[in-house]
Amino acid sequence: MTTIAPPALTEGRLARDLRLTFVHFRVQLVEMLRTPMAVIGNLVFPSVALLFFVVPQQAIASDPLLATSATAQLSAFAIASTCMFTFGLGVAEDRDKPFFPYLRTLPVGAVPPLAGRVLNGILWSFIALVPLALVGGLLTEATLSWGRLLPTLLAVVGVATPFTLLGLAIGYSMSTKAAIAVVQVSLFPLAFAGGMFMPPEIFPRWLDVLSSYTPTRGARELFVSAATGAPLDAHFAFVLAAWILVFATLVTIAFRRDEGRNFK
């Protein structure tokens, strides 16, 4: 016989989870602010890449469409980098701390800590775009019309989702040292293959075909489409959705293995 909890009890649990989520969000945010070097790289590197590789090329920097596309693809990289380092390293570091096993024994569940980390990832994804927007807006002809603002903001969440899941899968599967290596080794090749550093139009045919099936290419095309208004090929939307399902499956497996190994 199935028992349905009274609405008041359900609402009380939801309110509690929301309150605890923001508690974890605040604590995790303070921890990140206490180690600013962990954040500076995500904020600086994409802007430096834009400054050195796009701004000097007048053919690109002086063309509004090309400059906006270049800024958008580096923005997609900034989001991917932020999410993978925040979740891949953050979760792995938390699992190594003595407080983490105790936290998992509390009658709170895994949702508030995890949701708090997701909120942090989204916040830092938006923050990572600020230096890029300043460099692109001041030193190139890149523009973002008011009509493209909402689609671009939504695209931030769309790009952050698969790389948040990938970071979580790494964080729940590996130790801190292993997670650092895997994030670094996987992020940059995926970024190159996905056209986040150079436009896919200059890729050889074989690389363009390979690139079109990577999550970074789907994220790149989504963000460029949102920022410039160019039509998004349905192929890239399906590829990105497929990778989200794959990464979500990996997170579920990694989380359950970690729970079974350490808490049963």
Side-chain angles (χ1 to χ4, degrees), residues 42-58 60-64 66-68 70-72 74-75 78 127-144:
N42 291 329
L43 298 180
V44 172
F45 179 78
S47 304
V48 171
L50 183 65
L51 184 63
F52 283 98
F53 296 108
V54 175
V55 173
Q57 301 185 48
Q58 286 302 310
I60 297 177
S62 61
D63 185 297
L66 294 179
T68 303
T71 304
L74 283 169
S75 298
I127 293 174
L129 300 183
V130 174
L132 278 165
L134 291 175
V135 173
L138 295 175
L139 301 181
T140 75
E141 295 299 319
T143 58
L144 185 66

Side-chain angles (χ1 to χ4, degrees), residues 25-229:
F25 167 75
R26 185 177 68 251
V27 171
Q28 293 162 5
L29 178 61
V30 171
E31 286 183 354
M32 292 190 69
L33 291 175
R34 286 175 176 171
T35 54
M37 286 304 298
V39 179
I40 290 175
N42 291 329
L43 298 180
V44 172
F45 179 78
S47 304
V48 171
L50 183 65
L51 184 63
F52 283 98
F53 296 108
V54 175
V55 173
Q57 301 185 48
Q58 286 302 310
I60 297 177
S62 61
D63 185 297
L65 180 59
L66 294 179
T68 303
S69 297
T71 304
Q73 67 187 34
L74 283 169
S75 298
F77 168 75
I79 297 168
S81 174
T82 298
C83 291
M84 287 187 68
F85 276 98
T86 299
F87 296 105
L89 301 187
V91 171
E93 288 176 349
D94 283 351
R95 290 172 59 239
D96 286 341
K97 295 176 181 177
F99 185 65
F100 185 74
Y102 169 72
L103 190 65
R104 291 283 290 271
T105 63
L106 298 177
V108 175
V111 173
L114 193 57
R117 194 170 294 282
V118 169
L119 290 177
N120 264 292
I122 294 174
L123 172 64
W124 287 108
S125 294
F126 281 108
I127 293 174
L129 300 183
V130 174
L132 278 165
L134 291 175
V135 173
L138 295 175
L139 301 181
T140 75
E141 295 299 319
T143 58
L144 185 66
S145 66
W146 287 106
R148 305 312 309 167
L149 181 59
L150 180 58
T152 302
L153 294 178
L154 293 176
V156 172
V157 180
V159 172
T161 300
F163 297 103
T164 294
L165 294 171
L166 178 56
L168 289 171
I170 293 171
Y172 279 115
S173 302
M174 304 174 185
S175 66
T176 302
K177 291 182 179 180
I180 293 174
V182 170
V183 168
Q184 292 176 336
V185 168
S186 60
L187 174 61
F188 288 96
L190 280 173
F192 273 108
M196 290 180 168
F197 293 148
M198 57 184 67
E201 290 79 11
I202 68 174
F203 285 175
R205 176 63 181 167
W206 67 269
L207 182 56
D208 185 44
V209 173
L210 178 65
S211 170
S212 67
Y213 291 96
T214 62
T216 41
R217 179 69 180 276
R220 186 258 183 201
E221 297 297 330
L222 173 64
F223 209 87
V224 170
S225 174
T228 64

